[in-house]
Amino acid sequence: MMVLSRFWYALLGLLAATAVGFAFALTFLYNQREDSHNATQLAADSQTVEWSFKIDSRRRLDALLPIAVNPGVANHTAEIVYAAGSAEAPKIAGFRLELQKALRTVSAAAKEANGGAYAPDVVMVVGRDSRVLGIERVLAEAGRGHLPGWFDTLEQNPDFELGGYFAVVDALGGFERDDVWQLGDHLFLVAARPIIAEGSTQPIGAIVGLKAIDDAFVKTLAKSTRTSLVFFARGKRTSAGADVSRDPGELDAVSDELSALPRNPEFVNKMRTEPRAIRANVGATFVRLPGEATMAGFAVIRQSDFLSSPLEAQARLPQSFREHLPVAALGGIAALALLIGLLLTYAEHTLPLRALRRQATELKDGDADSLVPTKLRGAYRDAADAINDGIERVLIKRGGMSSRPADLSAILGPAASRTPMSAFALPGSEPPPAAAKTAPAPTEPPRPASSASSEEGEWLRVYEEFLDMKRQCGEPVEGLTFAKFTATLRKNRDALMSRHACVSVRFTVYAKEGRAQLKASPVRDS
Amino acid sequence: MTRIRVAGAVRLAPALCLASGVALAAPATVQLKGRIVGYEKLVPEVNAEAQRSPQAWYSWRIPWALRARFPLLVSREICVVALAATATPALDPVLIKVTGGRTNPVTLVVSPGTRIAFKNADPFPHDLTSGTANWSRAIMQAGGTREWTPAAPGVSEFRDDLFPSVRTFVVAEKNVAAFAFPSDKDGSFVFTLPPGDYTVKAYFGGNPVGRPLTNVTVPQRGPAELKEPLVVSADGK
């Protein structure tokens, strides 16, 4: 039946399916963890960028201090402010030139401080009456900053003012303050400080530093925070940058999201959105910048490292894992599984086949007239029975004497109609009395006293073989005594001898349909 | 030639042609001088609002001066008007400049029918919006101008969708004979008015502020001067 082999194959199949399912489950868990990790990382990245931006603002405020407290800048600013509307008014043009000169000198120093890291692109001096009194390019002039072209027209625009912006109002009111402005399509990081003239407690003006939030600025910020950043204002991207460790392609992912942000309550009221997926494997969180550019902000973008299948995981395994992979142990497990399978196949397939082949060889060589099914198992036994039946059928068809034992069933009637002893019962014989069922187990039969009773000796062997077969088949043997057995055989022998005119009858034991059976074979030659 | 009155000064402009903030065909006029007091504690509502939600507006705001206070520019924020006893015709066209994060002036009081011109004096666009009649939303490019005329008495507020600090109020009053903007230096202002009886009133943030001066008489010959200052503090003291 090859039960164990088949069970082994089923077990191996189950293990393989479990392993594949486990690999898919791990892939799912990995992707889920990656998604969760990405959301957490996005929140952390946005906080990092936000704080970095704040620190940058603080340092830009500090970088303006040398300009704001410069005596030349403060005094000339005061001269211009006080001269307005007074008899000194004609001197204002000269005062402005002096202010410009002082502004240039002190800005040059600011440009060199800290390598110009926090210097503004441009500084402007705003008088107490909110008019712009002086403009000086700091980094912009050195080619290290970027200003839109309209900055070149400011000096020729007498109407241009700055005094209404919250940051400038605060600076003129005595506060140092940062801000973010959107002027046209450009975002600016603004630092404003009061200018206090000597001997005064109130600001005479304000110094305003503007740093363009352009690609160069954002790239520096992205590099220091190891993020991918897109700055935007009113639904339009203004600048972007990514750390070298990030994929620059991530930056384009948020473009479609920007236009809806001014209507997003989270963005407008809570100043930031929860991290969310904006593409299958790209997440982003949007942070609103504090400042007068009310709908400006930045997006932190992060690409998820999802696995599309367990095979992708295998491809991505690092060399260090491969080096520590227990190859010997895994190979041993595979070899053991193979060996168990081979052993089971050998025991359940090769050995019975070999027995069948041996019997077939004996049959071919004339050492046996038929196969012996009782020495075979399972399907091989059935095959041996079928072969024996076939041989018999061919012999009879060709008119020869059957060498096959006579089928006792044919003589005694169908097995199903008989009692456990029915294999020995002649047609019409009485079933054994009920008491026989409770009869004691058969006792040891008496041994034949002499060689004259060789037939009795043969029957004794058949009797023992029959008892063994019944026990193998799980049939009861109680009440089946040797005397009853020989009586039945004798009747059987006599009937066959008279029918076939043979000299003797040979009985053999076999099992059929799970029951022990006897076959009687007429023997013509003694 | 058209003269447009601009924030306390008179400037020339090619398109509009009227005299200073006085009705045409006016009889001989007299200068009436006055002064406002008590404005030091006034803070525009837009700035007060910004302070109420600091997280939305800045990261750092640290007092630096010894006495930090709001730097109110009265020449932009406060409009003083002389109200006649009877209804007056439309005044000269008035130019409001949009620049520097606000308009100049911030509050303007005129009689209905007075033409108002908004000019973008910045080198970048502005987007003035208002719920008032006859005003549609349109981006004002750099140097661009838009005109609007208040048809009836009332307060019209204009905001800039691109610059939240911009909040402008145009008040249309029936009997406005003249308006003036005080000096930032000392709060003084000057009206040019025909002789007659007037009420002098100040507006701040689109609303009347302080205690108006009533029964102000402009004599046939001047110049004349208000006997007492116009108190514009919120409590009128």
PDB file of all heavy atoms in Angstrom, chain A residues 314 317 319-336:
ATOM      1  N   GLN A 314      14.881  37.378  -0.974  1.00  0.00           N
ATOM      2  CA  GLN A 314      16.085  36.555  -1.150  1.00  0.00           C
ATOM      3  C   GLN A 314      17.150  37.304  -1.943  1.00  0.00           C
ATOM      4  O   GLN A 314      18.325  37.260  -1.623  1.00  0.00           O
ATOM      5  CB  GLN A 314      15.677  35.255  -1.864  1.00  0.00           C
ATOM      6  CG  GLN A 314      16.716  34.152  -1.811  1.00  0.00           C
ATOM      7  CD  GLN A 314      17.705  34.265  -2.955  1.00  0.00           C
ATOM      8  OE1 GLN A 314      17.429  34.893  -3.964  1.00  0.00           O
ATOM      9  NE2 GLN A 314      18.877  33.678  -2.784  1.00  0.00           N
ATOM     10  N   LEU A 317      18.982  39.934   0.200  1.00  0.00           N
ATOM     11  CA  LEU A 317      19.724  39.554   1.403  1.00  0.00           C
ATOM     12  C   LEU A 317      21.165  40.029   1.310  1.00  0.00           C
ATOM     13  O   LEU A 317      21.815  39.848   0.267  1.00  0.00           O
ATOM     14  CB  LEU A 317      19.691  38.030   1.563  1.00  0.00           C
ATOM     15  CG  LEU A 317      18.343  37.470   2.019  1.00  0.00           C
ATOM     16  CD1 LEU A 317      18.390  35.954   1.996  1.00  0.00           C
ATOM     17  CD2 LEU A 317      17.995  37.964   3.415  1.00  0.00           C
ATOM     18  N   GLN A 319      25.235  40.284   1.889  1.00  0.00           N
ATOM     19  CA  GLN A 319      26.291  39.282   1.851  1.00  0.00           C
ATOM     20  C   GLN A 319      26.582  38.743   3.251  1.00  0.00           C
ATOM     21  O   GLN A 319      26.865  37.560   3.423  1.00  0.00           O
ATOM     22  CB  GLN A 319      27.550  39.892   1.229  1.00  0.00           C
ATOM     23  CG  GLN A 319      28.661  38.896   0.955  1.00  0.00           C
ATOM     24  CD  GLN A 319      28.224  37.793   0.000  1.00  0.00           C
ATOM     25  OE1 GLN A 319      27.389  38.006  -0.869  1.00  0.00           O
ATOM     26  NE2 GLN A 319      28.777  36.600   0.182  1.00  0.00           N
ATOM     27  N   SER A 320      26.426  39.620   4.250  1.00  0.00           N
ATOM     28  CA  SER A 320      26.727  39.187   5.616  1.00  0.00           C
ATOM     29  C   SER A 320      25.775  38.075   6.044  1.00  0.00           C
ATOM     30  O   SER A 320      26.169  37.130   6.741  1.00  0.00           O
ATOM     31  CB  SER A 320      26.599  40.370   6.572  1.00  0.00           C
ATOM     32  OG  SER A 320      25.307  40.919   6.487  1.00  0.00           O
ATOM     33  N   PHE A 321      24.501  38.172   5.599  1.00  0.00           N
ATOM     34  CA  PHE A 321      23.558  37.112   5.941  1.00  0.00           C
ATOM     35  C   PHE A 321      23.940  35.820   5.232  1.00  0.00           C
ATOM     36  O   PHE A 321      23.915  34.736   5.807  1.00  0.00           O
ATOM     37  CB  PHE A 321      22.134  37.533   5.557  1.00  0.00           C
ATOM     38  CG  PHE A 321      21.121  36.452   5.809  1.00  0.00           C
ATOM     39  CD1 PHE A 321      20.581  36.280   7.074  1.00  0.00           C
ATOM     40  CD2 PHE A 321      20.728  35.605   4.785  1.00  0.00           C
ATOM     41  CE1 PHE A 321      19.662  35.273   7.308  1.00  0.00           C
ATOM     42  CE2 PHE A 321      19.813  34.600   5.018  1.00  0.00           C
ATOM     43  CZ  PHE A 321      19.274  34.443   6.282  1.00  0.00           C
ATOM     44  N   ARG A 322      24.292  35.969   3.970  1.00  0.00           N
ATOM     45  CA  ARG A 322      24.652  34.773   3.206  1.00  0.00           C
ATOM     46  C   ARG A 322      25.849  34.058   3.845  1.00  0.00           C
ATOM     47  O   ARG A 322      25.935  32.843   3.861  1.00  0.00           O
ATOM     48  CB  ARG A 322      25.001  35.158   1.767  1.00  0.00           C
ATOM     49  CG  ARG A 322      23.816  35.686   0.983  1.00  0.00           C
ATOM     50  CD  ARG A 322      24.277  36.259  -0.352  1.00  0.00           C
ATOM     51  NE  ARG A 322      23.321  37.209  -0.887  1.00  0.00           N
ATOM     52  CZ  ARG A 322      22.315  36.880  -1.688  1.00  0.00           C
ATOM     53  NH1 ARG A 322      22.155  35.641  -2.056  1.00  0.00           N
ATOM     54  NH2 ARG A 322      21.478  37.794  -2.135  1.00  0.00           N
ATOM     55  N   GLU A 323      26.770  34.873   4.374  1.00  0.00           N
ATOM     56  CA  GLU A 323      27.952  34.275   4.992  1.00  0.00           C
ATOM     57  C   GLU A 323      27.598  33.522   6.266  1.00  0.00           C
ATOM     58  O   GLU A 323      28.256  32.558   6.635  1.00  0.00           O
ATOM     59  CB  GLU A 323      28.973  35.383   5.299  1.00  0.00           C
ATOM     60  CG  GLU A 323      29.645  35.917   4.042  1.00  0.00           C
ATOM     61  CD  GLU A 323      30.419  37.196   4.314  1.00  0.00           C
ATOM     62  OE1 GLU A 323      30.407  37.656   5.481  1.00  0.00           O
ATOM     63  OE2 GLU A 323      31.009  37.730   3.359  1.00  0.00           O
ATOM     64  N   HIS A 324      26.565  33.977   6.959  1.00  0.00           N
ATOM     65  CA  HIS A 324      26.195  33.325   8.205  1.00  0.00           C
ATOM     66  C   HIS A 324      25.061  32.311   8.036  1.00  0.00           C
ATOM     67  O   HIS A 324      24.551  31.787   9.020  1.00  0.00           O
ATOM     68  CB  HIS A 324      25.790  34.381   9.235  1.00  0.00           C
ATOM     69  CG  HIS A 324      26.948  35.219   9.690  1.00  0.00           C
ATOM     70  ND1 HIS A 324      27.322  36.384   9.064  1.00  0.00           N
ATOM     71  CD2 HIS A 324      27.843  35.045  10.696  1.00  0.00           C
ATOM     72  CE1 HIS A 324      28.375  36.900   9.668  1.00  0.00           C
ATOM     73  NE2 HIS A 324      28.719  36.106  10.657  1.00  0.00           N
ATOM     74  N   LEU A 325      24.661  32.065   6.812  1.00  0.00           N
ATOM     75  CA  LEU A 325      23.596  31.105   6.565  1.00  0.00           C
ATOM     76  C   LEU A 325      24.082  29.704   6.927  1.00  0.00           C
ATOM     77  O   LEU A 325      25.160  29.295   6.463  1.00  0.00           O
ATOM     78  CB  LEU A 325      23.201  31.160   5.084  1.00  0.00           C
ATOM     79  CG  LEU A 325      21.884  30.502   4.711  1.00  0.00           C
ATOM     80  CD1 LEU A 325      20.725  31.255   5.347  1.00  0.00           C
ATOM     81  CD2 LEU A 325      21.721  30.484   3.196  1.00  0.00           C
ATOM     82  N   PRO A 326      23.378  28.905   7.770  1.00  0.00           N
ATOM     83  CA  PRO A 326      23.828  27.547   8.145  1.00  0.00           C
ATOM     84  C   PRO A 326      23.587  26.565   7.002  1.00  0.00           C
ATOM     85  O   PRO A 326      22.678  25.725   7.058  1.00  0.00           O
ATOM     86  CB  PRO A 326      22.973  27.233   9.375  1.00  0.00           C
ATOM     87  CG  PRO A 326      21.748  28.048   9.207  1.00  0.00           C
ATOM     88  CD  PRO A 326      22.129  29.271   8.449  1.00  0.00           C
ATOM     89  N   VAL A 327      24.419  26.679   5.990  1.00  0.00           N
ATOM     90  CA  VAL A 327      24.230  25.882   4.782  1.00  0.00           C
ATOM     91  C   VAL A 327      24.320  24.383   5.100  1.00  0.00           C
ATOM     92  O   VAL A 327      23.519  23.576   4.618  1.00  0.00           O
ATOM     93  CB  VAL A 327      25.290  26.273   3.733  1.00  0.00           C
ATOM     94  CG1 VAL A 327      25.158  25.398   2.493  1.00  0.00           C
ATOM     95  CG2 VAL A 327      25.147  27.740   3.362  1.00  0.00           C
ATOM     96  N   ALA A 328      25.277  24.009   5.964  1.00  0.00           N
ATOM     97  CA  ALA A 328      25.472  22.588   6.288  1.00  0.00           C
ATOM     98  C   ALA A 328      24.246  22.016   6.971  1.00  0.00           C
ATOM     99  O   ALA A 328      23.767  20.923   6.637  1.00  0.00           O
ATOM    100  CB  ALA A 328      26.701  22.443   7.182  1.00  0.00           C
ATOM    101  N   ALA A 329      23.690  22.782   7.905  1.00  0.00           N
ATOM    102  CA  ALA A 329      22.513  22.297   8.628  1.00  0.00           C
ATOM    103  C   ALA A 329      21.324  22.156   7.689  1.00  0.00           C
ATOM    104  O   ALA A 329      20.598  21.152   7.728  1.00  0.00           O
ATOM    105  CB  ALA A 329      22.180  23.260   9.771  1.00  0.00           C
ATOM    106  N   LEU A 330      21.144  23.165   6.829  1.00  0.00           N
ATOM    107  CA  LEU A 330      20.012  23.108   5.900  1.00  0.00           C
ATOM    108  C   LEU A 330      20.190  21.946   4.920  1.00  0.00           C
ATOM    109  O   LEU A 330      19.245  21.218   4.607  1.00  0.00           O
ATOM    110  CB  LEU A 330      19.892  24.433   5.148  1.00  0.00           C
ATOM    111  CG  LEU A 330      19.471  25.636   5.995  1.00  0.00           C
ATOM    112  CD1 LEU A 330      19.510  26.908   5.163  1.00  0.00           C
ATOM    113  CD2 LEU A 330      18.073  25.428   6.564  1.00  0.00           C
ATOM    114  N   GLY A 331      21.455  21.751   4.447  1.00  0.00           N
ATOM    115  CA  GLY A 331      21.723  20.637   3.546  1.00  0.00           C
ATOM    116  C   GLY A 331      21.489  19.305   4.239  1.00  0.00           C
ATOM    117  O   GLY A 331      20.969  18.354   3.635  1.00  0.00           O
ATOM    118  N   GLY A 332      21.870  19.224   5.498  1.00  0.00           N
ATOM    119  CA  GLY A 332      21.663  17.999   6.276  1.00  0.00           C
ATOM    120  C   GLY A 332      20.190  17.671   6.410  1.00  0.00           C
ATOM    121  O   GLY A 332      19.782  16.502   6.269  1.00  0.00           O
ATOM    122  N   ILE A 333      19.394  18.705   6.667  1.00  0.00           N
ATOM    123  CA  ILE A 333      17.942  18.486   6.802  1.00  0.00           C
ATOM    124  C   ILE A 333      17.367  17.969   5.490  1.00  0.00           C
ATOM    125  O   ILE A 333      16.583  17.018   5.456  1.00  0.00           O
ATOM    126  CB  ILE A 333      17.247  19.794   7.244  1.00  0.00           C
ATOM    127  CG1 ILE A 333      17.640  20.123   8.689  1.00  0.00           C
ATOM    128  CG2 ILE A 333      15.742  19.684   7.107  1.00  0.00           C
ATOM    129  CD1 ILE A 333      17.192  21.485   9.153  1.00  0.00           C
ATOM    130  N   ALA A 334      17.814  18.594   4.392  1.00  0.00           N
ATOM    131  CA  ALA A 334      17.306  18.171   3.082  1.00  0.00           C
ATOM    132  C   ALA A 334      17.738  16.735   2.782  1.00  0.00           C
ATOM    133  O   ALA A 334      16.947  15.918   2.291  1.00  0.00           O
ATOM    134  CB  ALA A 334      17.807  19.123   2.005  1.00  0.00           C
ATOM    135  N   ALA A 335      19.009  16.398   3.102  1.00  0.00           N
ATOM    136  CA  ALA A 335      19.513  15.041   2.847  1.00  0.00           C
ATOM    137  C   ALA A 335      18.781  14.021   3.701  1.00  0.00           C
ATOM    138  O   ALA A 335      18.442  12.920   3.236  1.00  0.00           O
ATOM    139  CB  ALA A 335      21.008  14.995   3.127  1.00  0.00           C
ATOM    140  N   LEU A 336      18.492  14.392   4.951  1.00  0.00           N
ATOM    141  CA  LEU A 336      17.776  13.476   5.838  1.00  0.00           C
ATOM    142  C   LEU A 336      16.366  13.206   5.314  1.00  0.00           C
ATOM    143  O   LEU A 336      15.890  12.060   5.314  1.00  0.00           O
ATOM    144  CB  LEU A 336      17.719  14.094   7.245  1.00  0.00           C
ATOM    145  CG  LEU A 336      17.068  13.218   8.318  1.00  0.00           C
ATOM    146  CD1 LEU A 336      17.860  11.925   8.519  1.00  0.00           C
ATOM    147  CD2 LEU A 336      16.955  13.982   9.631  1.00  0.00           C
TER     148      LEU A 336
END
